[in-house]
Amino acid sequence: MRPTVLCFSGLDPSGGAGLQADIEAIGQSGAHAAIACTALTIQNSQQVFGFSATSKELLLAQAHAVVKDLPIKCVKSGMLGTTDNIAALAEFLQEQPQYLYVLDPVLVANSGGSLGDQDTLVKAFAALIPLATLITPNTIELRALTGEQDLQRAIQKLFAMGAQAVLVKGGHEATPDFIRNALYVQGELVSETQCPRLDGEYHGSGCSLASYIAGRLALGDDVKTAVHHAEIWLFGVLQHAETPVPNGQKIPKRF
Ligand code: PLP
């Protein structure tokens, strides 16, 4: 049985983001994906129309059902939807301290739609930050999590909040020709990568990257190596992304 990543993530019916992105990315990384579903969302490649979150009890029951059954090495979280679900995940991780954990601090969809109440989610994420092997915020999420606008101050604040390693994704910064990501471990910059900025908006790029990293961690890579493999893989997947409707976001082609 392949090493398994247990994902706490929501269903996106378009198949671009959420648990489908996780399953496809983790499959491509070489690991196996298991899912504890946090929410059912209503959305397409253009817009989020709403969502219904799983109860804390149902979420934990899903996770507990597979703990003794599958060789789980890593947990990955994406959309959690409610503060109750964030608390449930924190409880689960405290019960299972042997698991690696990749925290993708999802607050809003790339299309701009709400995936939970941002202010309450931000406060609740404080419990997950110290439990994570790696946190993968974009710069909007990094600023929201820390309340700091200056990026260097925001990064240092996240470490002060207990972070162990942080991959800062630069896709939302005003760099028209390129995207720069930076990996920090224990407060120190350990690698920086730059790739050409591809045209358009992508649905599920963050989910795909975090999940591929989680898959590589489950297979035994260290954080820096896992991030390196995932960034190369993601660029190819986005280059081949498909456009369902002209004004919609592109859907990464993960196979
Ligand atoms: N999880 C779910 C269920 C989503 O619907 C979305 C975005 O729509 C995300 C996560 C985050 O997606 P992205 O990787 O585009 O940030």
Side-chain angles (χ1 to χ4, degrees):
M1 178 80 209
R2 284 167 294 160
T4 298
V5 179
L6 173 57
C7 302
F8 286 68
S9 45
L11 175 83
D12 163 14
S14 79
L19 63 82
Q20 182 167 333
D22 297 345
I23 294 168
E24 292 180 0
I26 291 165
Q28 287 293 297
S29 78
H32 173 68
I35 305 288
C37 182
T38 56
L40 302 178
T41 74
I42 309 163
Q43 62 180 307
N44 55 27
S45 71
Q46 303 175 70
Q47 199 182 339
V48 179
F49 302 99
F51 70 89
S52 172
T54 307
S55 70
K56 178 178 177 173
E57 292 72 28
L58 181 54
L59 184 63
L60 283 176
Q62 293 176 74
H64 286 139
V66 291
V67 161
K68 292 200 182 68
D69 208 39
L70 293 170
I72 297 167
K73 294 281 179 289
C74 189
V75 169
K76 180 254 165 183
S77 65
M79 174 190 181
L80 290 161
T82 61
T83 53
D84 262 9
N85 282 349
I86 294 179
L89 174 56
E91 198 179 296
F92 177 79
L93 289 165
Q94 274 151 358
E95 281 167 14
Q96 310 287 347
Q98 73 280 19
Y99 294 158
L100 302 164
Y101 169 42
V102 177
L103 165 58
D104 185 17
V106 174
L107 292 170
V108 288
N110 262 341
S111 59
S114 168
L115 297 171
D117 178 66
Q118 176 148 343
D119 291 344
T120 55
L121 292 182
V122 161
K123 287 197 192 101
F125 271 131
L128 292 177
I129 287 168
L131 302 173
T133 312
L134 175 68
I135 309 174
T136 61
N138 60 38
T139 51
I140 297 172
E141 292 159 346
L142 177 62
R143 290 183 172 110
L145 286 174
T146 59
E148 293 282 356
Q149 288 311 301
D150 175 74
L151 280 184
Q152 284 311 315
R153 295 233 308 246
I155 292 160
Q156 292 317 320
K157 173 108 180 260
L158 203 54
F159 281 103
M161 291 164 77
Q164 298 166 44
V166 181
L167 176 65
V168 182
K169 300 175 296 187
H172 294 276
E173 293 302 286
T175 52
D177 303 327
F178 63 87
I179 290 178
R180 185 179 291 143
N181 292 347
L183 174 66
Y184 293 79
V185 178
Q186 307 294 353
E188 301 294 328
L189 178 68
V190 298
S191 69
E192 232 176 349
T193 53
Q194 194 166 303
C195 67
R197 185 181 285 275
L198 299 169
D199 282 342
E201 295 288 325
Y202 297 83
H203 194 53
S205 51
C207 305
S208 303
L209 183 70
S211 281
Y212 196 96
I213 294 170
R216 295 299 315 186
L217 290 177
L219 289 160
D221 279 359
D222 59 37
V223 168
K224 189 175 169 188
T225 310
V227 168
H228 175 71
H229 283 303
E231 286 177 333
I232 293 169
W233 172 80
L234 184 74
F235 189 70
V237 153
L238 298 184
Q239 268 182 319
H240 295 103
E242 295 168 305
T243 310
V245 285
N247 55 345
Q249 295 186 316
K250 297 183 188 185
I251 301 213
K253 195 170 176 194
R254 286 173 287 254
F255 290 103

